Amino acid sequence: MSPHYQLHTDLLNWYRHNHRELPWRENSSPYRVWLSEIILQQTRVDQGLPYYLKFVDHYPTVRHLAEADLDLVLKDWQGLGYYSRARNMHQCAQVVMDQFNGEFPKSASELAKLPGIGPYTASAIASICFQEPTAVVDGNVFRVVARLTNSNIPINSTEGKRYFATEAHHLLNPVDPGTHNQAMMELGALVCTPRNPSCPVCPLRLYCDGLKNNRVDELPVKMGKSVRRTRYFNYLVVQTDCLFIRQRLDRDVWFMLHDFPLVETEEKVNNWSEVISLFQTKYDLDLGNDTNLLDPVHEKHILSHQTIQATFWRLQPKSIRFGADSNIFEADLEDIEERYAVPILIKNYLSNLNAK
DNA sequence: AACACGGGGGC
DNA sequence: GCCCCAGTGTT
């Protein structure tokens, strides 16, 4: 019998009575578990749930997803963030179709070779769908184990990753690893929360060294985060019947999403003449006479590693032309709504445009 | 080993 | 308005 038998029993009893009813937990196929895990990486359940339902609806099987157009997949993903997840998910579906005959591999080590599937997602699918005894280590598990073991090792250090993965493996319930893993994560989400955890009702309170030492509020320990750089985006918004947009194809944030013709500057640009000059240089912009120049709109958009100070330079030209080698094209609002994925910064701007 | 990659919620 | 959350891939 496992030395953690009583802990396992208490945890599973708590899970049985307190877990949330979520669609991917009923009749879970590997495809649906995979879909939910990809969507829920770095994403709260509340935010990811509507996306999960949309993807199951639009792409009921891995074949549907594999055969779908990437731009439409990105459009369905719009707003979730970390768009490489959508690209890797799409590619993964194609690999599963082409190389695995439409069936997900059953072991964590095989799963981890697929695009977008790392150690966490591989363990989640293998344990939940195929009962492989492999421990998941997500942010919840890091926190639960750090408190349980009263460990000061930073969870985002190399040593921490190794240590907490080892500890999570020792804690794993070999009888039902899939449910155990889900219970650990659910405990972190509902009870052992980052702030104001509910220790008095925690099923593991009697086993928790952090609680015994009154150190729950100090755990887990984390190393300092890097600084955020500031970038200045100058967007040219051509307000005619259509809008001029472009797909972002450089190696940069929001890869493959769409925004407006853009000149990035080191400093904030404050006047129209400088903006027009910059666009003439970069895009070979040809602006007719009698162009109506409107007041610029300023928006600040904060990402995890950068702060984007965006200025929307709005103009209403009689005629306008961009150089032939740019990938700028015209689309109306309806097209953008239906077909072209845009960052939230752009979506919000367009929404305000509509409201006025 | 360090960095890049979004967006939303809590206080 | 600021702080926090956090898997995977790339360099």
Side-chain angles (χ1 to χ4, degrees):
Chain A
M1 185 182 296
S2 162
H4 296 300
Y5 175 76
Q6 197 56 49
L7 183 153
H8 293 154
T9 305
D10 292 344
L11 179 62
L12 290 185
N13 279 336
W14 171 85
Y15 182 75
R16 194 170 301 121
H17 292 107
N18 295 282
H19 73 82
R20 295 164 290 185
E21 305 268 343
L22 297 169
W24 49 85
R25 285 185 172 152
E26 37 196 74
N27 305 325
S28 48
S29 67
Y31 172 63
R32 292 186 173 211
V33 169
W34 166 72
L35 207 52
S36 72
E37 294 298 346
I38 301 295
I39 288 173
L40 263 40
Q41 286 170 13
Q42 287 106 340
T43 304
R44 290 178 164 79
V45 168
D46 287 347
Q47 191 192 355
L49 183 55
Y51 287 88
Y52 172 81
L53 297 174
K54 184 198 300 185
F55 272 89
V56 168
D57 182 36
H58 291 186
Y59 316 101
T61 69
V62 66
R63 175 188 294 278
H64 288 87
L65 185 55
E67 292 175 354
D69 187 274
L70 174 58
D71 283 316
L72 294 180
V73 173
L74 283 168
K75 186 61 191 173
D76 283 337
W77 194 273
Q78 176 181 303
L80 251 191
Y82 286 121
Y83 296 91
S84 63
R85 286 185 292 165
R87 301 193 306 270
N88 287 329
M89 179 180 79
H90 184 246
Q91 195 192 340
C92 182
Q94 295 178 335
V95 172
V96 168
M97 286 308 299
D98 296 345
Q99 297 177 27
F100 293 92
N101 205 17
E103 299 277 343
F104 279 85
K106 293 183 169 47
S107 71
S109 61
E110 285 297 308
L111 285 161
K113 295 177 185 168
L114 298 172
I117 298 185
Y120 163 75
T121 306
S123 286
I125 298 172
S127 65
I128 294 171
C129 301
F130 306 116
Q131 291 77 48
E132 181 176 326
T134 171
V136 300
V137 192
D138 76 337
N140 291 305
V141 175
F142 273 116
R143 188 169 57 253
V144 170
V145 175
R147 288 172 173 169
L148 213 49
T149 62
N150 192 25
S151 169
N152 290 321
I153 303 172
I155 59 172
N156 54 346
S157 65
T158 303
E159 186 195 358
K161 283 170 188 152
R162 193 180 63 239
Y163 172 81
F164 291 107
T166 304
E167 289 297 313
H169 182 72
H170 287 153
L171 276 170
L172 187 65
N173 184 343
V175 177
D176 190 350
T179 310
H180 171 92
N181 280 333
Q182 294 188 78
M184 288 286 283
M185 295 189 283
E186 196 77 340
L187 189 72
L190 300 181
V191 175
C192 195
T193 49
R195 282 175 300 261
N196 306 320
S198 308
C199 299
V201 299
C202 179
L204 304 188
R205 64 189 178 284
L206 298 179
Y207 315 99
C208 184
D209 282 344
L211 183 60
K212 278 180 195 138
N213 291 280
N214 201 20
R215 297 195 63 248
V216 171
D217 292 342
E218 305 162 36
L219 297 171
V221 172
K222 245 181 178 177
M223 293 196 300
K225 52 271 173 203
S226 54
V227 285
R228 230 179 333 239
R229 67 184 167 128
T230 298
R231 306 174 67 180
Y232 297 92
F233 281 14
N234 296 280
Y235 282 123
L236 197 69
V237 185
V238 184
Q239 297 183 348
T240 57
D241 292 343
C242 290
L243 286 160
F244 283 81
I245 63 173
R246 61 186 268 277
Q247 190 167 30
R248 297 175 60 85
L249 296 175
D250 300 325
R251 288 165 55 105
D252 195 1
V253 70
W254 301 324
F255 179 63
M256 286 194 69
L257 274 65
H258 301 76
D259 59 3
F260 302 116
L262 165 68
V263 172
E264 181 174 357
T265 51
E266 292 295 321
E267 305 285 339
K268 200 169 182 70
V269 177
N270 289 312
N271 60 79
W272 260 113
S273 59
E274 190 178 344
V275 170
I276 291 176
S277 160
L278 287 168
F279 276 90
Q280 282 171 335
T281 304
K282 175 166 178 185
Y283 290 107
D284 196 20
L285 173 68
D286 185 3
L287 209 51
N289 294 327
D290 298 331
T291 293
N292 191 18
L293 304 177
L294 304 173
D295 287 339
V297 173
H298 302 278
E299 295 289 346
K300 184 161 110 172
H301 191 75
I302 298 177
L303 282 52
S304 48
H305 286 70
Q306 45 191 292
T307 300
I308 293 175
Q309 295 277 6
T311 305
F312 295 90
W313 297 90
R314 307 171 298 151
L315 51 74
Q316 297 167 320
K318 292 284 186 291
S319 75
I320 189 167
R321 198 181 55 76
F322 289 94
D325 63 340
S326 74
N327 58 329
I328 296 168
F329 63 98
E330 285 183 85
D332 60 31
L333 279 173
E334 209 169 295
D335 280 337
I336 297 173
E337 196 69 36
E338 273 179 28
R339 260 189 287 285
Y340 303 118
V342 298
I344 289 299
L345 169 67
I346 303 298
K347 183 178 185 292
N348 288 343
Y349 174 79
L350 292 173
S351 301
N352 292 337
L353 211 60
N354 277 340
K356 281 168 192 167

